[in-house]
Amino acid sequence: MTVEGVTTKHITCVLCEALCGLEVSLRGDEILSIKGHDADPLSRGHICPKGVALQDIHADPDRLRRPVKRVGEEWVEIGWDEAVDLAADLLHAVQQRHGRDAVATYLGNPNVHSLGALTHGTAIPRTLGSKHVFSATSVDQLPHHVVAWAMYGHQFLLPVPDIDRTRLLVLIGTNPMASNGSLWTVPDFPGRLRELHSRGGRLVVIDPRRTETAAVADEHHFVRPGTDAAVLLALVHVVLADGLARPADYVEHLDELRVLVADFTPELAESVSGVPAVVIRDLAHDVAAGEAAVHGRMGVSTQEFGVICQWAIQCLMAITGNLDSPGGTMFTTPAIDIVGRAFMGRPLVGRGHRGRTSSGVRGLPEFGGELPVSVLAEEMEGPTPAIRGIITIGGNPVSSTPAGSRLGEYLAELEAFVAIDPWINETTRHAHVILPPTGPLERDHYDLIFHTLAVRNTARWSSALFPRGEDQRHDWEIARDLVFALNHRRGRRLPVKQQIRLRSSPRLGIDALLRTSRRGLSVRRLARTPGGVDLGPLQSCLPGRLRTEDKRVVLTPAVVTAGLAALRRRLPELRAARESDDLLLVGRRHQRDNNSWMHNTPRLTKGRPRHQLLMHPDDLAARGITDGSLVTVTSEVSSLQVEVRASDEVMRGVVSLPHGYGHKRPGVRLSNAVDVPGVTMNDLTDPARVEGVSGNAVLNGIPVVVTAAATAAT
C-alpha cells in the first residue's frame, strides 16, 4: 500500500521468541515508523522496544557488510571469494594436521531466528564431521529438550501454556513481561494477562526476585535459588497423596512415580526453599482442579537440578489431566511441523539422542549431537588440546558462557578461528576471518522454531524489507559456499540431492514444505496476507502426536529419575544453607536488550542504567555497604567489581546481576559500548558446575561473597 510516497510493509520481528508482526512505514529507503501490526492474529499489535530498534541494527555503523581478516591487530576488508577460501583453508588445514575432531563449531542463539541459518547453516558442522559441536542450547535450555525426548519421544515436543483459555497460570523462574516468553512464544503477554484476569483467572509466580511478571501477579512467592525441584516434587506428591490424580489413559507408571516422590513432602520443601507448606498444598489442589498451566524456564533450567525441575512440571501436568487439555499445557500443530517433517530426505529437526559421544576431559555425554558448552574451554587446554580450531556462527560464548574470559584466552591461541557474524564482539575479535551475513531487515523469514512453540497456530511469511547490497551475502549463501569449498579441498563431490538442497534458497524450501502440508498454503499466499494466516487455537493432539514407540507417556524415564539420588544427597546441605547468611547469585533479563547483544543500539541503551548488582537492603546493612557504591563480588572461580543497588525485589540472601554485559574489552568494535557500563556475571560461574543429567551450565544459585570495594564508584 502506497500513500503520498509512503509505503507500508509487514514483517516479522526476529529479535526474540515472541514472533511479533510489525507494520513498517517507508519513504524510499527511509524508515518512518515501526509499530505493531494490529491485524496480526498472533501478536495482535504488540511491540516491545526491540522491535522499534530494528532500524538501529540496520543502520549500525559497526555492523560488518563485507568480510574482514585480521592482520596483526588490524582488520582488513577482503572479497568474498578470498574470504571463503581463507576460511576453508584454515579449517581444512587443522583437520588435516590433527583430525576431524580438532575443529569445533559453536552455534549461537541468533541461528534460530534466521531462516537461512536453520535451512543451510547446519550443513557446516555436518560437513566438518567433528564431535565438538556446541550451542547456546546447553547454556540455558537443555533440560527442556532432555525431558521432552525422554517423555514424549522428541526433543521439540515442548508443551506450552494455553494462556488464552487457562484459569490458573503458574510461572516458575520465568519472566515473560520482560522476555515476551521463552520456549513459549507469547506475544502481548500483558494483554493476555489482562484477559486472564477478566475471566476470573489467576497468575501465581514463584521466583527469588520480584520480577516484572511477579509484580503484576496475583501471588508471588520467594524461593531460595536451587531448591525449586523440592517445591515442584512436593506439588506432585500432594496430588498423588491426596487422591487428585486423573491422568489420561496413555500415561503410564503412576504407581512408580508415587514411590519416587513419597518423601518429597511440602514440609520438606519448605525447609529447604522457604515456600510455605500450606502454599504448596493449596497450589497443588488448585492445579488439580483443571484448566491450569505450569511453566518453568531459565530459573529452573540453569541450576543443579534443572532436569528434575522440568520433569516434575511435566509430571504435574500429566497426572492432573492438564497436559494436552484446553487451558492447560498443549502442543502446537503448525503448518510446517519440525517434529514430523523431513525435507529432501533429511528430518527438519532430529528426534534427539544421548551419549553417542562424550567430552574428552570429563566424559560428559552429548545430547542431540552436541556436547555441553561448559566443556568447550577445557577441551582447548593442555599441551595437546583436543580442539585446535573453531567456527562460531552467530554466537558470543566469551560473553555468554561460564568463565567466558578464560575461553577468550584460549580462542586467541587457536590455529584457526572462523566467524560467521555481523559484528566484531568479545568473541569474534579473536577470529582470523569474519564472514558477515545480512541483517534482519535484508532477508526473508519464516519461523520454523517459534511457530512450534506459539500460543496459537498461525503461519506468516516475512519478505525482506530491503534488498541485500551487492557486496553482501545471506547466511545461507555463506554456508553453501563454505560447504562446497571444504568438500573441494577434500577432493569430494557432494551427492546431487545435497547439492540441490544447498543451492536452493530458503524460500523455495519453505514453499515446498507449505505446499505439501495439510494446510494448503504457499509462500505466495502468505506473502499476500499481511500478518499471515490464522490456523486457530491449540488443539488436543495426544497420543497421536507423541513420538514414543508405543505412543504412550512414561512418567518415570530412567535417564531423568537417576538425578533424584543426587538431589536427596544435597537436601541436608540445602536446608543448612537456608539458615545461613550466605549469598546466592541469580541472573536477570531485561526487555531492552537480548542476552549479550543489542548493547550498541542507541534506542535500547538510553535511559536509566540497569547493569547493577541488586541486593536486599538488609544484606547491604549487615555488610556495611552503601547503596550505589562499588562492590567486589567473588565466587569460587573469579571476582569482579560492579555498582550495587539496594532493592527489595530480591529476597534476603540473594543478589542479582544481568549477564551479557562487559563490552569494554580491547578490540571490541561497538561504538556505543562506552555508554553501556557493566560486567558479565558469567565470569563468576564455574564451568565445572553443570546440571547433573543434561550437562547444562549452572548459572543460577552461585555462592558469592560481596564486599565493599576499595575504590569509590564514579
Side-chain angles (χ1 to χ4, degrees), residues 68-70 75 392 411 416-419 427-434:
V68 295
K69 69 175 180 180
R70 184 158 49 86
W75 291 99
T392 63
L411 290 175
F417 182 177
V418 175
T427 297
T428 61
R429 71 188 179 102
H430 300 295
H432 296 103
V433 58
I434 304 175

Side-chain angles (χ1 to χ4, degrees), residues 473-516:
R473 295 290 184 273
H474 295 306
D475 45 13
W476 72 270
E477 294 172 313
I478 297 171
R480 173 200 64 196
D481 294 346
L482 185 55
V483 167
F484 277 116
L486 286 167
N487 278 282
H488 177 72
R489 279 150 183 77
R490 295 176 180 175
R492 180 186 175 209
R493 184 177 178 84
L494 290 173
V496 173
K497 184 179 289 188
Q498 191 172 348
Q499 290 188 45
I500 293 173
R501 184 166 51 237
L502 284 170
R503 295 185 192 279
S504 299
S505 70
R507 180 184 178 116
L508 287 174
I510 292 298
D511 191 56
L513 289 166
L514 287 170
R515 288 179 181 276
T516 54

Side-chain angles (χ1 to χ4, degrees), residues 115 122 130 159 192 201 241 260 281 350 364 431 438 447 475-476 489 493 504 600 680 701:
L115 176 60
T122 54
S130 170
R192 286 182 151 96
L260 288 174
R281 291 186 186 280
L364 295 185
T438 52
D447 211 293
D475 45 13
W476 72 270
R489 279 150 183 77
R493 184 177 178 84
S504 299
N600 58 329
T680 176

Side-chain angles (χ1 to χ4, degrees), residues 531-558:
V533 175
D534 185 12
L535 302 175
L538 305 183
Q539 300 292 325
S540 298
C541 60
L542 299 187
R545 192 154 159 72
L546 293 172
R547 289 296 182 269
T548 52
E549 290 185 7
D550 56 1
K551 297 288 185 181
R552 302 184 74 78
V553 173
V554 175
L555 292 172
T556 57

Side-chain angles (χ1 to χ4, degrees), residues 331-352:
F331 300 94
T332 58
T333 48
I336 299 178
D337 182 9
I338 63 171
V339 170
R341 292 296 303 275
F343 180 63
M344 297 188 72
R346 186 182 297 279
L348 291 177
V349 176
R351 177 177 295 186

